[in-house]
Amino acid sequence: MATQSTILEKATSWDNICFPIVEEKLQDLLPGSYKLLPSDRQRAIVGYMPDGTQHVFALQSDEYTLIPNDFLRSVVDSVATDYKIDARYTSRGDFGINIILPDSLKVGNERIYKNLIINNSYTGKSPFNIQGSSIESTNEDKVRISYYRQICANGLMGWADEFMSYEEYFNWLANGQPKKYLDALKEKVEHVNIERIKKEEKILAETFHHKGLNLEFFKEHLTKILKNFTAQNSSVTGAIYNKLVQVALPTDADVQQVILESGLPKKLASMAVERLRVEEQELQTDANLWLLYNAANYALFNGKSALTINERFKADQKAFHNIAQMAL
C-alpha cells in the first residue's frame, strides 16, 4: 500500500505539539459488544487534540514506553532558559523539534545558530533520537552540534562531528564513505584510540524503539546530554560548512542531477533547484556547495513527500556527505 505524501506542519511553540497524550486499554475504548481477540497490541496511544477530537496514533504492546513531548519540554526547560523552538511534525504523530540557542557561528556572510534536534514519534515506527543518533549511542560528553539557518528557517542535518578532526572527515569521504571509522583512517590508525572507535562502531549500530524504557533513568541521561551540548563550543561540522562556502558550483553543472545523485526524490530535487536560484538572488552571490546543501535541506523539510521525518533526516545526511565530497 502506498504511503500518503504530506507537507510537514510547522510550530514555533511547545503548546502546538504538547497536547495530552495517554495510553488507554483498547478494550475500554470499544463498545461493550466488542471483544478483542488475543493480541500483544492492546494498548492505544491516544492524543486529546486542541479541537476536541481524539486521535489514536498507534496500538502498542506492554513493552512500549510513551515519551510525551511535554516530558521533553520539561527536560529542556530544566537546562536552558534562553532558547527558541521550531518544530516540524505530521498529523500522524511524528515530530522533529529544533531547540535553537543564542550561540552562533559565521558561515560566509551569514550567521547560523547552535541547534539541538530531537526526533520523537507517537507511532512507534520511528526511533527516538537526538541529533540523528539513538539515545544509547549519543555520547553524553560530546554531542553532535547542529545549526539553525534563519534564511530558510530550517535546522541543518548535515553532521561531521563524529569524526575527530576536519582532516579525518575528508579522509573518510576520499575513501568512499566507509561505514566503519577504522576504514576511514587507514593512513592514521597509529594516532587514534582504536578501542574507543570500536566501541563507537558498536553503539552506533544500536537503535532505540521506545521499548521497556525507565523514564526516570531516561530523564537523567537526557539532561546530561543537554547540559553538555549547551557547554560545547567547537564543531567540526561548522568548519565543513565554511569549507563549502568557498567552493563554487561549476557553471556547467547539472544542478538537478547533482541533487538527485545526493539521494533526493525527483520532485524534491526540482524544488531544491528552485530554492537554490532564489537564494542566489537574495544573497546576491553565485551558487556554491553551501547553498547547494541548504537547497537540498530546504526541499526535504518543506516539500510534499511520502518520506517520514526520520527518512528525511537520513536523506539530508546523505546529501550533505555527497555534496561535501565535491569539495575534495
Side-chain angles (χ1 to χ4, degrees):
M1 183 174 67
T3 303
Q4 182 180 3
S5 294
T6 184
I7 295 177
L8 300 181
E9 301 288 339
K10 301 178 183 181
T12 55
S13 167
W14 282 108
D15 293 340
N16 297 107
I17 59 172
C18 284
F19 49 83
I21 185 82
V22 298
E23 299 174 59
E24 304 270 12
K25 290 183 179 179
L26 180 56
Q27 183 66 69
D28 293 344
L29 301 180
L30 299 175
S33 58
Y34 285 79
K35 298 299 179 184
L36 289 176
L37 297 176
S39 169
D40 64 344
R41 293 179 178 269
Q42 296 198 8
R43 296 165 65 204
I45 308 303
V46 183
Y48 289 80
M49 312 307 291
D51 63 3
T53 60
Q54 290 81 47
H55 291 188
V56 177
F57 289 104
L59 299 179
Q60 300 293 353
S61 69
D62 289 338
E63 293 181 338
Y64 177 82
T65 303
L66 176 65
I67 304 174
N69 287 333
D70 199 48
F71 172 90
L72 300 176
R73 173 166 60 178
S74 69
V75 177
V76 174
D77 285 345
S78 73
V79 175
T81 55
D82 187 10
Y83 72 89
K84 296 179 181 178
I85 178 176
D86 185 0
R88 299 290 188 273
Y89 65 98
T90 71
S91 59
R92 297 191 290 273
D94 294 312
F95 306 90
I97 307 168
N98 293 291
I99 307 298
I100 309 159
L101 301 179
D103 301 339
S104 65
L105 170 74
K106 192 172 182 182
V107 177
N109 294 323
E110 296 182 60
R111 191 157 290 280
I112 58 179
Y113 292 85
K114 192 174 176 183
N115 183 42
L116 184 79
I117 303 174
I118 301 174
N119 278 352
N120 194 23
S121 170
Y122 292 157
T123 67
K125 293 181 179 179
S126 297
F128 178 93
N129 62 54
I130 297 174
Q131 303 294 56
S133 292
S134 67
I135 189 71
E136 294 95 340
S137 64
T138 299
N139 187 331
E140 286 185 356
D141 298 323
K142 189 175 185 298
V143 186
R144 288 170 165 181
I145 295 181
S146 174
Y147 292 95
Y148 184 87
R149 186 170 180 251
Q150 289 185 320
I151 189 172
C152 57
N154 273 349
L156 305 178
M157 308 306 307
W159 288 296
D161 281 347
E162 58 264 52
F163 294 85
M164 287 167 286
S165 72
Y166 176 93
E167 291 76 17
E168 260 109 23
Y169 174 69
F170 278 105
N171 189 38
W172 176 76
L173 293 178
N175 284 327
Q177 303 183 28
K179 293 182 179 180
K180 294 186 177 182
Y181 291 170
L182 287 177
D183 292 339
L185 305 173
K186 290 176 182 176
E187 300 177 3
K188 300 183 179 181
V189 169
E190 67 273 14
H191 301 301
V192 303
N193 185 331
I194 294 178
E195 290 306 313
R196 183 184 69 80
I197 292 175
K198 286 182 177 178
K199 181 180 179 182
E200 286 191 359
E201 287 181 353
K202 178 179 180 297
I203 61 178
L204 284 172
E206 298 175 356
T207 304
F208 172 70
H209 280 290
H210 294 251
K211 289 185 178 180
L213 183 66
N214 181 315
L215 282 180
E216 286 304 313
F217 174 78
F218 174 74
K219 185 174 184 179
E220 179 182 341
H221 184 53
L222 182 57
T223 300
K224 287 181 180 178
I225 289 171
L226 293 177
K227 284 182 177 179
N228 288 328
F229 173 78
T230 59
Q232 285 176 219
N233 295 314
S234 61
S235 166
V236 174
T237 299
I240 304 300
Y241 289 168
N242 270 303
K243 171 67 174 178
L244 298 185
V245 170
Q246 299 168 23
V247 182
L249 193 63
T251 54
D252 60 346
D254 184 338
V255 178
Q256 180 153 335
Q257 185 60 35
V258 169
I259 295 175
L260 283 170
E261 291 172 356
S262 294
L264 270 69
K266 188 172 182 179
K267 287 185 178 180
L268 294 185
S270 297
M271 183 178 180
V273 174
E274 293 175 5
R275 180 64 190 182
L276 177 65
R277 300 313 177 200
V278 167
E279 291 201 8
E280 283 183 282
Q281 294 180 3
E282 286 188 1
L283 299 173
Q284 296 184 342
T285 185
D286 293 332
N288 54 47
L289 297 186
W290 166 247
L291 294 188
L292 181 64
Y293 163 58
N294 277 280
N297 173 272
Y298 179 88
L300 279 166
F301 291 93
N302 290 276
K304 188 174 183 179
S305 173
L307 296 175
T308 66
I309 288 179
N310 199 49
E311 289 168 340
R312 294 178 198 232
F313 276 42
K314 289 180 179 179
D316 188 281
Q317 183 76 67
K318 180 180 178 181
F320 171 70
H321 291 322
N322 285 7
I323 290 170
Q325 195 157 3
M326 297 171 65
L328 290 171

